[in-house]
Amino acid sequence: MTSAAGTAVDVDVLVVGAGPTGLALGVDLARRGVDALVVERGAGPAPGSRGKGIQPRTMEVLDDLGVLDDIRAAGGDYPVGLIWRDGEPAGERPMFDPAEDGEEGSAFTEPWMVPQWRTQEILHARLTAWGGRVAFGREVTGLDQDEDGVTVHFAPGEGARIVRARYVIAADGGRSAVRRAVGIGMTGAGADGSGVVDPAPILVADALIDGLDRDHWHLFPPDGDTGGFMAVCPLAGTEYFQIVAGFAEGTTVDVSPDGVRKVFAARSHLTADAVTEVNWVSEFRPRAALADRFRSGRVFLAGDAAHIHSPAGGQGLNTSVQDAYNLGWKLGAVLGGEAPANLLDTYEEERRPVAAGMLGLSTKIHRGEARRGRETRQLGLGYRGSSLAAETRTELPDEALRAGDRAPDTAVDGGRLFDVLRGPHWTLLTAGPALEGPALPGVRTALTGADGRYGPGLYLIRPDGYVGWAGTDPRELRAYASRVGLSAG
C-alpha cells in the first residue's frame, strides 16, 4: 500500500519491543486483521522470570486474547511466606490480603504466578497462530514522521534498514530508544523529581536450589551477620527459584553465578553449593518515573517505555499489558475506517492517570507503606473521567456501576456475560424489563436481570471490557455509537 504522499507503507503498525506489552498488542492487532510487525533488538525473547505475577484483571485480558488455558497450565498459585531465623522456620505469613468471594464480579480473585519468559513464549505462539510476525535482531536507530506515517531506521543486520508504518508503538522498555527519538521526557516521582524509590541495589536471579521446599516463599530477614534481606520464591511451572536480595547503598553487586551463590549462603542456613545452577541474573535500583506524554504524533508509548516502577506488588507487567489492550482496539477501529482518528487521543487520556496511580502504589508497597490486596488486583481500575465515558443517568447511588467502569461478569440469557464479551467487538447489555436497545451492526447483545451489579438500563461495553455508555434512552445511545464509529441500523 502507499501513503497519501506516495511513500511505500510496509505495515500499518510497527511495534518496537517483544516483551509482554509488544506481544499482547501484536496478538490484539492480529486478531483484528491489522497488518502489524513486532521487532525486537535482542536475538530472541528476553530471559528471566522478571515480572512473574499476573493480576486478576490481566487474567481477564489474557482470557479474551485466547491464551488463558496456556497461562493456567504454565503457572500456579503463590505460596505462603515462610520466615527463617537462625536456620529454623519462625512462622508463616500470607503474601497477599485475601479476596472476598465474588469480589468485583470476576472469575479471578488472586494473582497467578507465571515466569515472564513463559508468558512471552505463550503470547508469541498465539501471535504466530494469528499470522503475526516477530523479527528479532532488529535495533531501531532513529525515526522520522510526517502527517501520513513514520519512517523507522534500523541498524545493519538481517531485514530491511528502513520500515514505513502508519503508526509506531514504543514497547521497548525503560530505556526506550523510540521514546528518546521522539524527545519525550520522563519525570521521576517524589518531591525531588529524581524517581529514586530506593538507592540500594537489588539482585534478582533464577536458580536451581537443593534444600528448600517448593511449598513456601522463603523469607530471610536481614540481621547484623548476614546483611540485607533475601527472598527465595519457587517459580511455578518450573524447577527454578527466584532469588531476590537487597544490598546497602553504594554496594557493588557481584552478578556472576559465584556471586549469587555467596549471597545465598551468607543469608540462608544452606551452603553455596545448594545453588546448583544459575540460569539468569540481573541487578537494578528501583525507580519510579512517568513519561511526560504517551504520544507524539503517530508514535505511542506503552509499558515500561511509558512508566518505570518498582516491581513490588506485581503491577508493572499488568499495567503494561493493559496499556496494549486499551490501545489495540482503538488502533484497529481507526485503521479499519470505523472510527475517527481522534479516538487515539483517548489512549493517553485514559492510561496515563492509571500509570501514575500504579507508580504511587508500587512505591508504597516497596517501602512497606501498603499491602498487596484489592488495589493490586486492578479490578477496580476504570475510566470514569474519560471523554469516552458517557453516563446519562442521574441520581445514581454511590455504589452504582457507571460509564467508565470495568464491566463485571454477571448471568445473562444463556450463560455468562464474559462469554459474550470475549472477542474484538462491542457488546450491548440490556438490564431489567421494558428496555430495548437499537440495532448496532457488529455489536453483540445480551440480556440480564437488574441485579446488584447492573441497575436497570442499557450498557454499551467497549471491546476492552469497560462501559462506554450507560443510560435508558436509545436515541442518546445512537448518538454515542455514531461518535465512536458504530452506525445504528
Side-chain angles (χ1 to χ4, degrees):
M1 66 184 70
T2 59
S3 71
T7 303
V9 175
D10 298 307
V11 291
D12 286 329
V13 179
L14 180 71
V15 181
V16 182
T21 313
L23 292 171
L25 180 57
V27 171
D28 202 11
L29 294 174
R31 68 173 180 161
R32 296 175 188 281
V34 174
D35 181 21
L37 172 66
V38 180
V39 295
E40 166 60 48
R41 70 176 182 175
S49 53
R50 301 177 188 267
K52 62 183 182 296
I54 301 179
Q55 300 293 346
R57 174 55 187 156
T58 307
M59 292 291 280
E60 293 179 348
V61 172
L62 296 176
D63 183 9
D64 185 40
L65 295 181
V67 298
L68 180 63
D69 289 346
D70 289 336
I71 288 291
R72 281 199 175 281
D77 292 315
Y78 272 77
V80 68
L82 176 63
I83 301 170
W84 290 86
R85 294 191 187 278
D86 300 322
E88 298 292 335
E92 296 183 349
R93 76 174 190 191
M95 302 303 291
F96 309 96
D97 291 339
E100 299 178 7
D101 290 341
E103 182 181 300
E104 310 285 2
S106 179
F108 311 101
T109 58
E110 304 291 348
W112 188 251
M113 187 196 300
V114 182
Q116 184 170 313
W117 67 266
R118 187 70 179 100
T119 299
Q120 293 171 170
E121 185 179 80
I122 290 168
L123 287 169
H124 188 190
R126 184 63 172 169
L127 176 58
T128 302
W130 274 109
R133 298 166 290 164
V134 178
F136 293 101
R138 303 297 306 279
E139 181 180 0
V140 173
T141 58
L143 59 83
D144 306 291
Q145 58 175 316
D146 53 50
E147 63 180 12
D148 299 312
V150 188
T151 302
V152 183
H153 304 270
F154 293 88
E158 294 184 8
R161 294 282 299 276
I162 295 175
V163 171
R164 178 76 174 170
R166 296 194 185 279
Y167 296 98
V168 170
I169 315 304
D172 52 342
R175 297 182 176 88
S176 172
V178 176
R179 186 187 66 231
R180 294 196 301 271
V182 297
I184 297 178
M186 298 282 282
T187 299
D192 62 357
S194 68
V196 176
V197 172
D198 187 342
I202 295 176
L203 176 146
V204 58
D206 296 347
L208 294 178
I209 299 173
D210 290 337
L212 292 179
D213 70 70
R214 299 189 63 83
D215 297 324
H216 295 92
W217 190 332
H218 301 274
L219 308 174
F220 300 89
D223 61 43
D225 296 327
T226 64
F229 80 90
M230 182 173 70
V232 183
C233 180
L235 291 169
T238 78
E239 297 178 347
Y240 288 89
F241 289 81
Q242 183 191 69
I243 300 171
V244 177
F247 297 83
E249 182 179 355
T251 302
T252 299
V253 180
D254 183 354
V255 295
S256 69
D258 283 345
V260 173
R261 291 185 173 95
K262 289 177 182 177
V263 170
F264 178 83
R267 301 186 185 188
S268 76
H269 55 283
L270 300 173
T271 59
D273 59 9
V275 180
T276 60
E277 179 186 329
V278 178
N279 186 53
W280 169 79
V281 60
S282 182
E283 178 248 340
F284 67 97
R285 286 161 180 78
R287 295 184 64 239
L290 185 66
D292 298 335
R293 293 173 289 143
F294 279 21
R295 179 182 188 181
S296 174
R298 290 177 171 267
V299 177
F300 296 83
L301 309 185
D304 287 355
H307 37 77
I308 303 169
H309 53 89
S310 166
Q315 298 297 284
L317 178 151
N318 296 274
T319 303
S320 299
V321 167
Q322 290 165 51
D323 287 347
Y325 196 53
N326 182 286
L327 185 55
W329 73 269
K330 295 172 181 178
L331 283 168
V334 170
L335 287 165
E338 301 157 8
N342 62 11
L343 176 65
L344 296 174
D345 294 338
T346 66
Y347 169 68
E348 177 178 319
E349 177 190 356
E350 293 183 341
R351 292 306 299 169
R352 194 169 184 274
V354 169
M358 179 272 290
L359 296 184
L361 177 60
S362 61
T363 297
K364 287 180 180 179
I365 293 172
H366 181 95
R367 293 173 174 168
E369 299 167 357
R371 280 192 53 79
R372 300 167 177 86
R374 186 171 186 172
E375 281 189 282
T376 60
R377 290 189 278 273
Q378 300 193 343
L379 293 168
L381 295 176
Y383 309 122
R384 285 190 182 183
S386 168
S387 59
L388 284 182
E391 178 54 68
T392 66
R393 299 167 297 170
T394 60
E395 299 181 356
L396 293 173
D398 291 343
E399 68 277 8
L401 182 74
R402 289 173 167 80
D405 291 347
R406 166 188 155 273
D409 197 13
T410 193
V412 298
D413 52 320
R416 306 295 303 178
L417 176 61
F418 275 18
D419 293 328
V420 180
L421 296 182
R422 194 178 294 114
H425 54 267
W426 291 73
T427 300
L428 179 58
L429 177 68
T430 301
L435 287 170
E436 184 175 352
L440 300 171
V443 176
R444 291 187 185 176
T445 59
L447 299 172
T448 187
D451 60 17
R453 296 198 177 100
Y454 291 90
L458 301 169
Y459 299 84
L460 184 61
I461 302 172
R462 303 170 5 169
D464 58 354
Y466 291 87
V467 178
W469 181 95
T472 58
D473 188 339
R475 293 171 299 179
E476 294 181 355
L477 173 55
R478 288 190 185 95
Y480 177 88
S482 178
R483 178 162 71 91
V484 296
L486 300 172
S487 298

